């Protein structure tokens, strides 16, 4: 393998410039044309920086810890996959990798132990954590050691500012656009197919609907399964059981795209010619594995891939005084109502 001095000689720059170009944290200091020349030469000659040497020299692990529970369900989720894709895109740019730190679901004391162990053993240079998995001890440890960390607030929870950098979804923008569409279409009544009264998105939707004079009627199906493969089928069954009530509404909103697909399947089986506007939440179609084999549905897009990218980008800028960031959601219209006015 060539040395940095040899690469410098072949590319007409100093060894210090090559060193900066090969260090993702410093390459922004190298002129773009020079950086491109060095990286193209290294690629052509199969030269890759020695991570072990870089780690010893800098005292960094070049790993970011992602604390996870319910791993089986998380990795089956098309939405979680988009977040991970976004996180990995940015970490790769900075020369970092992702280390999974598994803990038991709902066991905050295990989160404390896992974070404490990772800190003491210098396993990672920073953390990405869920807001539902943060305990006081973990917060205190992160502040004490001044470790870069970011808290990700799930889409159904209200983002709250803390002493640790926090990222959440601004659901008001997407639901505001949805309700504006309903108002323009002359829809004054909306059936909300939900499953948890603690879902903060329900409050936001009802507030935005009230502004547009759209009356929301809730159908709370709390018995629906937590596991992803069963959700669509169980919503299909719930819509069939409640058809006599639901068929009176020209518009339905489901709290997830999976539920919307189940509702659409039931509607098409019972009344294929009845024109009902159905929307969901998540924009599953952003995931290539789902975009080609599912019917088009209207949705609120929380931009999960961009959410992951933004989380990682903010982690490398954790010195910012601002502690709470929100990513705007967006309403995506894929199927309009044929008759745009209620009778």
């Amino acid at each position: 393998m060539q040395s940095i001095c040899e690469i410098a000689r072949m590319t007409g720059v100093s060894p210090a410039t090559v060193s900066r170009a090969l260090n993702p944290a410093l390459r922004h200091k190298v002129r773009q044309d020079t950086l491109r020349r060095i990286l193209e030469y290294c690629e052509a000659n199969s030269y890759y920086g020695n991570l072990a040497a870089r780690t010893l020299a800098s005292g960094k692990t070049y790993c970011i810890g992602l604390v996870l529970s319910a791993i089986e369900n998380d990795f089956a989720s098309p939405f979680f996959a988009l977040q991970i894709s976004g996180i990995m895109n940015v970490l790769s740019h900075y020369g970092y990798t992702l280390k999974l730190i598994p803990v038991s679901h709902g066991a905050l004391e295990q989160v404390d132990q896992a974070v404490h162990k990772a800190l003491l053993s210098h396993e990672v240079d920073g953390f990405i954590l869920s807001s539902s998995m943060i305990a006081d001890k973990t917060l205190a440890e992160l502040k004490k050691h001044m470790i870069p960390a970011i808290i990700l607030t799930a889409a159904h929870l209200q983002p709250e500012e803390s002493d640790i950098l926090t990222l959440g979804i601004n659901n008001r923008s997407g639901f505001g656009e949805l309700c504006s569409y309903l108002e323009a279409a002359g829809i004054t009544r909306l059936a909300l197919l939900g499953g948890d009264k603690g879902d903060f998105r329900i409050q936001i939707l009802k507030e935005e609907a009230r502004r547009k004079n759209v009356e929301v009627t809730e159908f709370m199906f709390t018995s629906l399964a937590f596991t992803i493969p069963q959700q669509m089928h169980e919503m299909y069954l719930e819509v069939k059981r409640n058809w006599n009530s639901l068929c009176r509404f020209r518009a339905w909103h489901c709290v997830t795209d999976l539920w919307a697909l189940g509702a659409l399947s039931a509607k098409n089986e019972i009344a294929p010619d009845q024109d009902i506007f159905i929307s969901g939440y998540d924009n599953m179609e952003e995931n290539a594995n789902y975009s080609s084999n599912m019917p088009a549905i209207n949705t609120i897009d929380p931009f999960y891939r961009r959410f992951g990218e933004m989380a990682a980008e903010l982690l490398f800028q954790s010195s910012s005084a601002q502690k709470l960031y929100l990513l705007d959601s967006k309403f995506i219209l894929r199927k309009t109502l044929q008759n745009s006015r209620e009778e």
Side-chain angles (χ1 to χ4, degrees):
M1 180 183 293
Q2 291 181 313
S3 68
I4 284 181
C5 291
E6 290 171 321
I7 296 171
R9 181 171 58 82
M10 297 302 296
T11 55
V13 298
S14 69
T17 299
V18 174
S19 180
R20 283 193 292 270
L22 297 180
N23 186 337
L26 299 175
R27 62 177 47 151
H28 65 279
K29 297 182 178 181
V30 181
R31 287 175 47 183
Q32 284 299 311
D33 56 339
T34 303
L35 176 63
R36 187 181 306 109
R37 183 167 74 252
I38 294 170
L39 295 181
E40 287 178 353
Y41 178 85
C42 291
E43 182 72 23
N45 291 273
S46 301
Y47 178 91
Y48 303 98
N50 188 324
L51 178 59
R54 186 155 55 103
T55 298
L56 288 172
S58 65
K60 295 181 179 180
T61 66
Y62 292 93
C63 286
I64 297 297
L66 176 63
V67 181
L68 282 180
S69 65
I71 288 181
E72 296 88 347
N73 202 60
D74 283 341
F75 276 95
S77 165
F79 327 121
F80 181 73
L82 291 171
Q83 287 189 35
I84 290 295
S85 174
I87 290 171
M88 292 299 298
N89 286 343
V90 175
L91 293 188
S92 177
H93 173 76
Y94 284 96
Y96 272 72
T97 58
L98 193 64
K99 177 183 176 67
L100 299 183
I101 302 176
V103 297
S104 298
H105 182 66
L108 292 182
E109 67 279 2
Q110 284 202 15
V111 178
D112 286 337
Q113 293 170 6
V115 170
H116 185 66
K117 176 178 178 292
L119 285 171
L120 292 182
S121 58
H122 303 287
E123 294 178 15
V124 297
D125 297 330
F127 290 93
I128 299 174
L129 307 103
S130 166
S131 60
S132 62
M133 299 168 58
I134 294 291
D136 291 341
K137 186 176 179 181
T138 293
L139 286 173
E141 287 277 346
L142 293 173
K143 288 176 61 178
K144 175 183 175 182
H145 295 278
M146 295 187 292
I147 300 296
I150 186 164
I151 299 170
L152 303 187
T153 305
H156 67 284
L157 299 175
Q158 180 178 12
E160 296 181 351
E161 187 170 355
S162 75
D163 293 332
I164 304 297
L165 196 62
T166 301
L167 176 63
I169 303 293
N170 174 19
N171 284 310
R172 197 171 294 280
S173 56
F175 284 124
E177 292 168 356
L178 167 62
C179 293
S180 293
Y181 170 79
L182 296 176
E183 180 188 39
I187 300 298
T188 60
R189 298 168 64 239
L190 173 69
L192 170 61
L193 283 62
D196 181 1
K197 287 202 176 279
D199 190 329
F200 187 64
R201 292 172 297 185
I202 293 176
Q203 177 183 330
I204 296 297
L205 174 56
K206 291 168 71 174
E207 289 174 359
E208 293 302 316
R210 194 177 304 118
R211 291 189 177 95
K212 300 299 181 180
N213 297 313
V214 176
E215 179 185 348
V216 176
T217 300
E218 297 179 41
F219 293 82
M220 306 304 288
F221 304 125
T222 56
S223 62
L224 289 188
F226 177 71
T227 56
I228 288 171
Q230 295 174 294
Q231 288 185 24
M232 189 166 70
H233 179 66
E234 292 196 7
M235 178 53 72
Y236 160 84
L237 295 177
E238 290 288 0
V239 169
K240 293 188 71 172
R241 294 187 193 106
N242 293 273
W243 175 255
N244 289 338
S245 297
L246 288 169
C247 69
R248 300 171 185 172
F249 294 84
R250 291 288 315 284
W252 303 347
H253 177 75
C254 304
V255 294
T256 72
D257 281 357
L258 287 167
W259 289 20
L261 288 171
L264 177 63
S265 178
K267 193 282 293 184
N268 287 341
E269 180 180 310
I270 299 170
D273 297 326
Q274 185 168 345
D275 191 22
I276 297 178
F277 174 89
I278 300 177
S279 60
Y281 185 102
D282 290 319
N283 191 24
M284 284 179 61
E285 293 193 38
E286 187 182 0
N287 188 311
N289 292 324
Y290 292 84
S291 60
S292 61
N293 56 6
M294 60 180 277
I297 57 172
N298 308 300
T299 189
I300 304 294
D301 188 355
F303 297 102
Y304 284 123
R305 180 179 281 111
R306 177 61 191 137
F307 189 75
E309 291 173 344
M310 191 171 174
E313 288 167 356
L314 288 170
L315 194 61
F316 287 98
Q317 304 166 16
S318 58
S319 59
S320 171
Q322 183 176 343
K323 292 302 181 184
L324 177 62
Y325 290 82
L326 297 178
L327 177 64
D328 287 345
S329 59
K330 182 177 180 58
F331 169 57
I332 297 179
L333 178 65
R334 293 194 174 105
K335 193 175 189 308
T336 61
L337 283 164
Q338 298 303 309
N339 179 6
S340 61
R341 293 286 155 181
E342 289 181 324
E343 298 178 358

